[in-house]
Amino acid sequence: MDPHVLHNSALSRYELFLGEEKIGHADYVDVEGELQFTHTEVDPAHQGKNYAAILMREAFKDIEENNLGKVWPVCPYVVTYMKRHPETESLLSRPLD
């Protein structure tokens, strides 16, 4: 089963699914077009399988393709992901440390 990511704008989050099962999410706060990612989690039973990276990759793809704003990573995982993936730099609202 391949994972897929959906944008749940009503809850300000991106959700990660395996089939019908939600196994993770990344929460954000939209502050005047700056999406501040505050929390990312994957169900413990599914950790260590690269799902958090898939979640962020697909969330950033959606943000870019739909011109949803810029990103400011608050969550430590999202900061690390963006540092490891320089192709996301154009989404940053300000430089990372």
Side-chain angles (χ1 to χ4, degrees):
M1 217 175 331
D2 288 331
H4 63 280
V5 175
L6 298 175
H7 184 198
N8 186 337
S9 58
L11 293 177
S12 299
R13 66 171 34 171
Y14 282 87
E15 298 175 331
L16 176 66
F17 291 86
L18 273 181
E20 298 295 317
E21 179 186 8
K22 184 174 90 63
I23 63 166
H25 62 269
D27 297 324
Y28 66 86
V29 177
D30 186 343
V31 179
E32 299 177 8
E34 179 183 72
L35 304 180
Q36 298 177 356
F37 278 84
T38 58
H39 179 73
T40 305
E41 74 177 63
V42 172
D43 183 298
H46 296 284
Q47 290 178 354
K49 300 175 185 173
N50 205 38
Y51 289 139
I54 292 168
L55 172 61
M56 295 318 305
R57 181 191 71 210
E58 295 303 310
F60 290 155
K61 181 178 174 185
D62 181 66
I63 292 165
E64 188 167 50
E65 287 178 355
N66 293 296
N67 229 5
L68 298 178
K70 292 293 187 175
V71 171
W72 182 243
V74 177
C75 168
Y77 178 80
V78 181
V79 171
T80 299
Y81 179 89
M82 294 188 88
K83 285 181 177 180
R84 288 183 181 162
H85 295 273
E87 69 274 13
T88 64
E89 188 175 326
S90 65
L91 288 173
L92 284 169
S93 61
R94 53 190 116 160
L96 290 172
D97 296 342

PDB file of all heavy atoms in Angstrom, residues 38-69:
ATOM      1  N   THR A  38       4.066  23.644  13.094  1.00  0.00           N
ATOM      2  CA  THR A  38       4.293  23.599  14.537  1.00  0.00           C
ATOM      3  C   THR A  38       4.453  22.199  15.102  1.00  0.00           C
ATOM      4  O   THR A  38       5.007  22.036  16.191  1.00  0.00           O
ATOM      5  CB  THR A  38       3.129  24.282  15.272  1.00  0.00           C
ATOM      6  OG1 THR A  38       1.907  23.609  14.913  1.00  0.00           O
ATOM      7  CG2 THR A  38       3.038  25.761  14.906  1.00  0.00           C
ATOM      8  N   HIS A  39       3.953  21.190  14.395  1.00  0.00           N
ATOM      9  CA  HIS A  39       3.977  19.834  14.956  1.00  0.00           C
ATOM     10  C   HIS A  39       3.855  18.815  13.834  1.00  0.00           C
ATOM     11  O   HIS A  39       3.040  18.979  12.928  1.00  0.00           O
ATOM     12  CB  HIS A  39       2.812  19.659  15.931  1.00  0.00           C
ATOM     13  CG  HIS A  39       2.729  18.302  16.535  1.00  0.00           C
ATOM     14  ND1 HIS A  39       3.616  17.864  17.494  1.00  0.00           N
ATOM     15  CD2 HIS A  39       1.881  17.274  16.318  1.00  0.00           C
ATOM     16  CE1 HIS A  39       3.293  16.627  17.843  1.00  0.00           C
ATOM     17  NE2 HIS A  39       2.257  16.244  17.135  1.00  0.00           N
ATOM     18  N   THR A  40       4.663  17.785  13.910  1.00  0.00           N
ATOM     19  CA  THR A  40       4.605  16.670  12.962  1.00  0.00           C
ATOM     20  C   THR A  40       4.645  15.381  13.759  1.00  0.00           C
ATOM     21  O   THR A  40       5.443  15.256  14.690  1.00  0.00           O
ATOM     22  CB  THR A  40       5.814  16.711  11.997  1.00  0.00           C
ATOM     23  OG1 THR A  40       5.845  17.979  11.362  1.00  0.00           O
ATOM     24  CG2 THR A  40       5.715  15.626  10.948  1.00  0.00           C
ATOM     25  N   GLU A  41       3.778  14.452  13.388  1.00  0.00           N
ATOM     26  CA  GLU A  41       3.831  13.153  14.071  1.00  0.00           C
ATOM     27  C   GLU A  41       3.397  12.030  13.140  1.00  0.00           C
ATOM     28  O   GLU A  41       2.598  12.231  12.236  1.00  0.00           O
ATOM     29  CB  GLU A  41       3.006  13.143  15.349  1.00  0.00           C
ATOM     30  CG  GLU A  41       1.523  13.091  15.185  1.00  0.00           C
ATOM     31  CD  GLU A  41       0.802  13.018  16.526  1.00  0.00           C
ATOM     32  OE1 GLU A  41       0.914  13.960  17.321  1.00  0.00           O
ATOM     33  OE2 GLU A  41       0.115  12.004  16.755  1.00  0.00           O
ATOM     34  N   VAL A  42       3.977  10.869  13.392  1.00  0.00           N
ATOM     35  CA  VAL A  42       3.615   9.632  12.712  1.00  0.00           C
ATOM     36  C   VAL A  42       3.318   8.610  13.800  1.00  0.00           C
ATOM     37  O   VAL A  42       4.039   8.526  14.800  1.00  0.00           O
ATOM     38  CB  VAL A  42       4.752   9.145  11.780  1.00  0.00           C
ATOM     39  CG1 VAL A  42       4.463   7.763  11.220  1.00  0.00           C
ATOM     40  CG2 VAL A  42       4.980  10.140  10.651  1.00  0.00           C
ATOM     41  N   ASP A  43       2.252   7.863  13.601  1.00  0.00           N
ATOM     42  CA  ASP A  43       1.865   6.817  14.558  1.00  0.00           C
ATOM     43  C   ASP A  43       3.084   5.948  14.877  1.00  0.00           C
ATOM     44  O   ASP A  43       3.807   5.533  13.974  1.00  0.00           O
ATOM     45  CB  ASP A  43       0.756   5.976  13.921  1.00  0.00           C
ATOM     46  CG  ASP A  43       0.222   4.916  14.851  1.00  0.00           C
ATOM     47  OD1 ASP A  43       1.001   4.027  15.257  1.00  0.00           O
ATOM     48  OD2 ASP A  43      -0.976   4.969  15.164  1.00  0.00           O
ATOM     49  N   PRO A  44       3.331   5.681  16.154  1.00  0.00           N
ATOM     50  CA  PRO A  44       4.511   4.901  16.538  1.00  0.00           C
ATOM     51  C   PRO A  44       4.645   3.564  15.808  1.00  0.00           C
ATOM     52  O   PRO A  44       5.758   3.113  15.532  1.00  0.00           O
ATOM     53  CB  PRO A  44       4.334   4.688  18.044  1.00  0.00           C
ATOM     54  CG  PRO A  44       3.510   5.850  18.489  1.00  0.00           C
ATOM     55  CD  PRO A  44       2.580   6.140  17.340  1.00  0.00           C
ATOM     56  N   ALA A  45       3.535   2.941  15.464  1.00  0.00           N
ATOM     57  CA  ALA A  45       3.586   1.656  14.755  1.00  0.00           C
ATOM     58  C   ALA A  45       4.143   1.798  13.343  1.00  0.00           C
ATOM     59  O   ALA A  45       4.534   0.816  12.726  1.00  0.00           O
ATOM     60  CB  ALA A  45       2.190   1.029  14.703  1.00  0.00           C
ATOM     61  N   HIS A  46       4.199   3.028  12.835  1.00  0.00           N
ATOM     62  CA  HIS A  46       4.649   3.267  11.464  1.00  0.00           C
ATOM     63  C   HIS A  46       5.919   4.106  11.395  1.00  0.00           C
ATOM     64  O   HIS A  46       6.318   4.533  10.318  1.00  0.00           O
ATOM     65  CB  HIS A  46       3.536   3.946  10.664  1.00  0.00           C
ATOM     66  CG  HIS A  46       2.327   3.087  10.507  1.00  0.00           C
ATOM     67  ND1 HIS A  46       2.264   2.035   9.634  1.00  0.00           N
ATOM     68  CD2 HIS A  46       1.134   3.112  11.155  1.00  0.00           C
ATOM     69  CE1 HIS A  46       1.089   1.454   9.714  1.00  0.00           C
ATOM     70  NE2 HIS A  46       0.385   2.085  10.637  1.00  0.00           N
ATOM     71  N   GLN A  47       6.559   4.360  12.527  1.00  0.00           N
ATOM     72  CA  GLN A  47       7.775   5.163  12.522  1.00  0.00           C
ATOM     73  C   GLN A  47       8.947   4.372  11.963  1.00  0.00           C
ATOM     74  O   GLN A  47       8.931   3.144  11.941  1.00  0.00           O
ATOM     75  CB  GLN A  47       8.076   5.671  13.936  1.00  0.00           C
ATOM     76  CG  GLN A  47       7.078   6.712  14.377  1.00  0.00           C
ATOM     77  CD  GLN A  47       7.302   7.198  15.791  1.00  0.00           C
ATOM     78  OE1 GLN A  47       8.143   6.702  16.525  1.00  0.00           O
ATOM     79  NE2 GLN A  47       6.537   8.193  16.188  1.00  0.00           N
ATOM     80  N   GLY A  48       9.945   5.094  11.481  1.00  0.00           N
ATOM     81  CA  GLY A  48      11.142   4.466  10.943  1.00  0.00           C
ATOM     82  C   GLY A  48      10.981   3.957   9.524  1.00  0.00           C
ATOM     83  O   GLY A  48      11.811   3.195   9.043  1.00  0.00           O
ATOM     84  N   LYS A  49       9.934   4.398   8.836  1.00  0.00           N
ATOM     85  CA  LYS A  49       9.663   3.930   7.471  1.00  0.00           C
ATOM     86  C   LYS A  49       9.655   5.077   6.465  1.00  0.00           C
ATOM     87  O   LYS A  49       9.104   4.952   5.388  1.00  0.00           O
ATOM     88  CB  LYS A  49       8.326   3.185   7.437  1.00  0.00           C
ATOM     89  CG  LYS A  49       8.302   1.969   8.350  1.00  0.00           C
ATOM     90  CD  LYS A  49       6.942   1.334   8.388  1.00  0.00           C
ATOM     91  CE  LYS A  49       6.922   0.194   9.410  1.00  0.00           C
ATOM     92  NZ  LYS A  49       5.586  -0.347   9.618  1.00  0.00           N
ATOM     93  N   ASN A  50      10.230   6.217   6.860  1.00  0.00           N
ATOM     94  CA  ASN A  50      10.339   7.394   5.996  1.00  0.00           C
ATOM     95  C   ASN A  50       9.006   8.102   5.749  1.00  0.00           C
ATOM     96  O   ASN A  50       8.903   8.938   4.863  1.00  0.00           O
ATOM     97  CB  ASN A  50      11.005   7.011   4.661  1.00  0.00           C
ATOM     98  CG  ASN A  50      11.686   8.179   4.008  1.00  0.00           C
ATOM     99  OD1 ASN A  50      12.284   9.016   4.673  1.00  0.00           O
ATOM    100  ND2 ASN A  50      11.597   8.251   2.695  1.00  0.00           N
ATOM    101  N   TYR A  51       7.992   7.777   6.529  1.00  0.00           N
ATOM    102  CA  TYR A  51       6.680   8.371   6.294  1.00  0.00           C
ATOM    103  C   TYR A  51       6.635   9.860   6.615  1.00  0.00           C
ATOM    104  O   TYR A  51       5.956  10.627   5.931  1.00  0.00           O
ATOM    105  CB  TYR A  51       5.592   7.630   7.064  1.00  0.00           C
ATOM    106  CG  TYR A  51       5.280   6.263   6.514  1.00  0.00           C
ATOM    107  CD1 TYR A  51       5.053   5.194   7.352  1.00  0.00           C
ATOM    108  CD2 TYR A  51       5.217   6.034   5.142  1.00  0.00           C
ATOM    109  CE1 TYR A  51       4.756   3.928   6.851  1.00  0.00           C
ATOM    110  CE2 TYR A  51       4.926   4.780   4.627  1.00  0.00           C
ATOM    111  CZ  TYR A  51       4.695   3.736   5.488  1.00  0.00           C
ATOM    112  OH  TYR A  51       4.399   2.493   4.983  1.00  0.00           O
ATOM    113  N   ALA A  52       7.346  10.310   7.633  1.00  0.00           N
ATOM    114  CA  ALA A  52       7.356  11.740   7.952  1.00  0.00           C
ATOM    115  C   ALA A  52       7.963  12.531   6.799  1.00  0.00           C
ATOM    116  O   ALA A  52       7.471  13.612   6.450  1.00  0.00           O
ATOM    117  CB  ALA A  52       8.120  12.002   9.247  1.00  0.00           C
ATOM    118  N   ALA A  53       9.001  11.993   6.185  1.00  0.00           N
ATOM    119  CA  ALA A  53       9.618  12.673   5.036  1.00  0.00           C
ATOM    120  C   ALA A  53       8.657  12.712   3.848  1.00  0.00           C
ATOM    121  O   ALA A  53       8.565  13.733   3.149  1.00  0.00           O
ATOM    122  CB  ALA A  53      10.920  11.980   4.647  1.00  0.00           C
ATOM    123  N   ILE A  54       7.929  11.638   3.632  1.00  0.00           N
ATOM    124  CA  ILE A  54       6.934  11.618   2.551  1.00  0.00           C
ATOM    125  C   ILE A  54       5.853  12.652   2.830  1.00  0.00           C
ATOM    126  O   ILE A  54       5.436  13.396   1.933  1.00  0.00           O
ATOM    127  CB  ILE A  54       6.334  10.210   2.401  1.00  0.00           C
ATOM    128  CG1 ILE A  54       7.405   9.252   1.879  1.00  0.00           C
ATOM    129  CG2 ILE A  54       5.111  10.226   1.492  1.00  0.00           C
ATOM    130  CD1 ILE A  54       7.032   7.782   1.968  1.00  0.00           C
ATOM    131  N   LEU A  55       5.419  12.730   4.073  1.00  0.00           N
ATOM    132  CA  LEU A  55       4.413  13.708   4.477  1.00  0.00           C
ATOM    133  C   LEU A  55       4.875  15.124   4.155  1.00  0.00           C
ATOM    134  O   LEU A  55       4.152  15.905   3.534  1.00  0.00           O
ATOM    135  CB  LEU A  55       4.117  13.553   5.973  1.00  0.00           C
ATOM    136  CG  LEU A  55       3.236  14.600   6.638  1.00  0.00           C
ATOM    137  CD1 LEU A  55       1.856  14.649   6.014  1.00  0.00           C
ATOM    138  CD2 LEU A  55       3.133  14.299   8.136  1.00  0.00           C
ATOM    139  N   MET A  56       6.093  15.466   4.547  1.00  0.00           N
ATOM    140  CA  MET A  56       6.582  16.824   4.309  1.00  0.00           C
ATOM    141  C   MET A  56       6.832  17.078   2.821  1.00  0.00           C
ATOM    142  O   MET A  56       6.526  18.152   2.321  1.00  0.00           O
ATOM    143  CB  MET A  56       7.841  17.097   5.134  1.00  0.00           C
ATOM    144  CG  MET A  56       7.614  17.075   6.632  1.00  0.00           C
ATOM    145  SD  MET A  56       6.077  17.899   7.197  1.00  0.00           S
ATOM    146  CE  MET A  56       6.230  19.521   6.496  1.00  0.00           C
ATOM    147  N   ARG A  57       7.386  16.106   2.122  1.00  0.00           N
ATOM    148  CA  ARG A  57       7.627  16.271   0.684  1.00  0.00           C
ATOM    149  C   ARG A  57       6.319  16.602  -0.037  1.00  0.00           C
ATOM    150  O   ARG A  57       6.259  17.536  -0.835  1.00  0.00           O
ATOM    151  CB  ARG A  57       8.241  14.997   0.103  1.00  0.00           C
ATOM    152  CG  ARG A  57       8.535  15.111  -1.398  1.00  0.00           C
ATOM    153  CD  ARG A  57       8.890  13.781  -2.006  1.00  0.00           C
ATOM    154  NE  ARG A  57       7.688  12.940  -2.055  1.00  0.00           N
ATOM    155  CZ  ARG A  57       7.702  11.615  -1.986  1.00  0.00           C
ATOM    156  NH1 ARG A  57       8.846  10.955  -1.850  1.00  0.00           N
ATOM    157  NH2 ARG A  57       6.575  10.936  -2.048  1.00  0.00           N
ATOM    158  N   GLU A  58       5.274  15.857   0.268  1.00  0.00           N
ATOM    159  CA  GLU A  58       3.994  16.066  -0.405  1.00  0.00           C
ATOM    160  C   GLU A  58       3.310  17.362   0.050  1.00  0.00           C
ATOM    161  O   GLU A  58       2.660  18.036  -0.746  1.00  0.00           O
ATOM    162  CB  GLU A  58       3.082  14.857  -0.202  1.00  0.00           C
ATOM    163  CG  GLU A  58       3.612  13.598  -0.855  1.00  0.00           C
ATOM    164  CD  GLU A  58       3.852  13.752  -2.353  1.00  0.00           C
ATOM    165  OE1 GLU A  58       2.944  14.218  -3.066  1.00  0.00           O
ATOM    166  OE2 GLU A  58       4.965  13.410  -2.801  1.00  0.00           O
ATOM    167  N   ALA A  59       3.457  17.707   1.322  1.00  0.00           N
ATOM    168  CA  ALA A  59       2.899  18.975   1.804  1.00  0.00           C
ATOM    169  C   ALA A  59       3.563  20.149   1.093  1.00  0.00           C
ATOM    170  O   ALA A  59       2.884  21.059   0.598  1.00  0.00           O
ATOM    171  CB  ALA A  59       3.088  19.095   3.315  1.00  0.00           C
ATOM    172  N   PHE A  60       4.892  20.119   0.996  1.00  0.00           N
ATOM    173  CA  PHE A  60       5.603  21.215   0.337  1.00  0.00           C
ATOM    174  C   PHE A  60       5.278  21.269  -1.151  1.00  0.00           C
ATOM    175  O   PHE A  60       5.172  22.354  -1.739  1.00  0.00           O
ATOM    176  CB  PHE A  60       7.101  21.096   0.563  1.00  0.00           C
ATOM    177  CG  PHE A  60       7.506  21.367   1.992  1.00  0.00           C
ATOM    178  CD1 PHE A  60       8.676  20.835   2.489  1.00  0.00           C
ATOM    179  CD2 PHE A  60       6.739  22.141   2.837  1.00  0.00           C
ATOM    180  CE1 PHE A  60       9.075  21.089   3.804  1.00  0.00           C
ATOM    181  CE2 PHE A  60       7.105  22.394   4.145  1.00  0.00           C
ATOM    182  CZ  PHE A  60       8.281  21.867   4.625  1.00  0.00           C
ATOM    183  N   LYS A  61       5.101  20.123  -1.769  1.00  0.00           N
ATOM    184  CA  LYS A  61       4.717  20.077  -3.181  1.00  0.00           C
ATOM    185  C   LYS A  61       3.363  20.759  -3.359  1.00  0.00           C
ATOM    186  O   LYS A  61       3.180  21.566  -4.274  1.00  0.00           O
ATOM    187  CB  LYS A  61       4.669  18.617  -3.645  1.00  0.00           C
ATOM    188  CG  LYS A  61       4.306  18.441  -5.081  1.00  0.00           C
ATOM    189  CD  LYS A  61       4.327  16.962  -5.450  1.00  0.00           C
ATOM    190  CE  LYS A  61       3.830  16.735  -6.854  1.00  0.00           C
ATOM    191  NZ  LYS A  61       3.738  15.289  -7.159  1.00  0.00           N
ATOM    192  N   ASP A  62       2.408  20.465  -2.481  1.00  0.00           N
ATOM    193  CA  ASP A  62       1.081  21.076  -2.556  1.00  0.00           C
ATOM    194  C   ASP A  62       1.150  22.583  -2.327  1.00  0.00           C
ATOM    195  O   ASP A  62       0.511  23.357  -3.045  1.00  0.00           O
ATOM    196  CB  ASP A  62       0.150  20.428  -1.521  1.00  0.00           C
ATOM    197  CG  ASP A  62      -1.248  21.004  -1.576  1.00  0.00           C
ATOM    198  OD1 ASP A  62      -1.926  20.804  -2.612  1.00  0.00           O
ATOM    199  OD2 ASP A  62      -1.668  21.658  -0.596  1.00  0.00           O
ATOM    200  N   ILE A  63       1.931  23.000  -1.349  1.00  0.00           N
ATOM    201  CA  ILE A  63       2.065  24.430  -1.052  1.00  0.00           C
ATOM    202  C   ILE A  63       2.620  25.168  -2.254  1.00  0.00           C
ATOM    203  O   ILE A  63       2.117  26.225  -2.640  1.00  0.00           O
ATOM    204  CB  ILE A  63       2.959  24.644   0.195  1.00  0.00           C
ATOM    205  CG1 ILE A  63       2.236  24.129   1.442  1.00  0.00           C
ATOM    206  CG2 ILE A  63       3.354  26.107   0.354  1.00  0.00           C
ATOM    207  CD1 ILE A  63       3.126  23.961   2.655  1.00  0.00           C
ATOM    208  N   GLU A  64       3.636  24.585  -2.870  1.00  0.00           N
ATOM    209  CA  GLU A  64       4.262  25.224  -4.028  1.00  0.00           C
ATOM    210  C   GLU A  64       3.333  25.231  -5.242  1.00  0.00           C
ATOM    211  O   GLU A  64       3.126  26.270  -5.868  1.00  0.00           O
ATOM    212  CB  GLU A  64       5.571  24.519  -4.360  1.00  0.00           C
ATOM    213  CG  GLU A  64       6.376  25.229  -5.426  1.00  0.00           C
ATOM    214  CD  GLU A  64       7.776  24.688  -5.509  1.00  0.00           C
ATOM    215  OE1 GLU A  64       7.936  23.447  -5.585  1.00  0.00           O
ATOM    216  OE2 GLU A  64       8.709  25.505  -5.488  1.00  0.00           O
ATOM    217  N   GLU A  65       2.749  24.092  -5.555  1.00  0.00           N
ATOM    218  CA  GLU A  65       1.893  23.979  -6.740  1.00  0.00           C
ATOM    219  C   GLU A  65       0.649  24.846  -6.650  1.00  0.00           C
ATOM    220  O   GLU A  65       0.159  25.343  -7.658  1.00  0.00           O
ATOM    221  CB  GLU A  65       1.484  22.521  -6.967  1.00  0.00           C
ATOM    222  CG  GLU A  65       2.612  21.656  -7.485  1.00  0.00           C
ATOM    223  CD  GLU A  65       2.209  20.204  -7.655  1.00  0.00           C
ATOM    224  OE1 GLU A  65       1.075  19.811  -7.283  1.00  0.00           O
ATOM    225  OE2 GLU A  65       3.060  19.443  -8.165  1.00  0.00           O
ATOM    226  N   ASN A  66       0.132  25.035  -5.443  1.00  0.00           N
ATOM    227  CA  ASN A  66      -1.097  25.801  -5.262  1.00  0.00           C
ATOM    228  C   ASN A  66      -0.865  27.201  -4.717  1.00  0.00           C
ATOM    229  O   ASN A  66      -1.817  27.877  -4.341  1.00  0.00           O
ATOM    230  CB  ASN A  66      -2.069  25.018  -4.373  1.00  0.00           C
ATOM    231  CG  ASN A  66      -2.545  23.772  -5.074  1.00  0.00           C
ATOM    232  OD1 ASN A  66      -3.205  23.858  -6.103  1.00  0.00           O
ATOM    233  ND2 ASN A  66      -2.181  22.614  -4.563  1.00  0.00           N
ATOM    234  N   ASN A  67       0.413  27.599  -4.669  1.00  0.00           N
ATOM    235  CA  ASN A  67       0.749  28.968  -4.257  1.00  0.00           C
ATOM    236  C   ASN A  67       0.078  29.335  -2.931  1.00  0.00           C
ATOM    237  O   ASN A  67      -0.538  30.386  -2.808  1.00  0.00           O
ATOM    238  CB  ASN A  67       0.315  29.938  -5.350  1.00  0.00           C
ATOM    239  CG  ASN A  67       1.406  30.895  -5.711  1.00  0.00           C
ATOM    240  OD1 ASN A  67       2.521  30.792  -5.222  1.00  0.00           O
ATOM    241  ND2 ASN A  67       1.081  31.828  -6.573  1.00  0.00           N
ATOM    242  N   LEU A  68       0.250  28.467  -1.930  1.00  0.00           N
ATOM    243  CA  LEU A  68      -0.439  28.654  -0.653  1.00  0.00           C
ATOM    244  C   LEU A  68       0.298  29.569   0.317  1.00  0.00           C
ATOM    245  O   LEU A  68      -0.236  29.892   1.367  1.00  0.00           O
ATOM    246  CB  LEU A  68      -0.695  27.293   0.002  1.00  0.00           C
ATOM    247  CG  LEU A  68      -1.592  26.350  -0.802  1.00  0.00           C
ATOM    248  CD1 LEU A  68      -1.741  25.022  -0.082  1.00  0.00           C
ATOM    249  CD2 LEU A  68      -2.941  26.985  -1.076  1.00  0.00           C
ATOM    250  N   GLY A  69       1.506  29.966  -0.014  1.00  0.00           N
ATOM    251  CA  GLY A  69       2.258  30.859   0.860  1.00  0.00           C
ATOM    252  C   GLY A  69       3.676  30.379   1.060  1.00  0.00           C
ATOM    253  O   GLY A  69       4.155  29.483   0.373  1.00  0.00           O
TER     254      GLY A  69
END
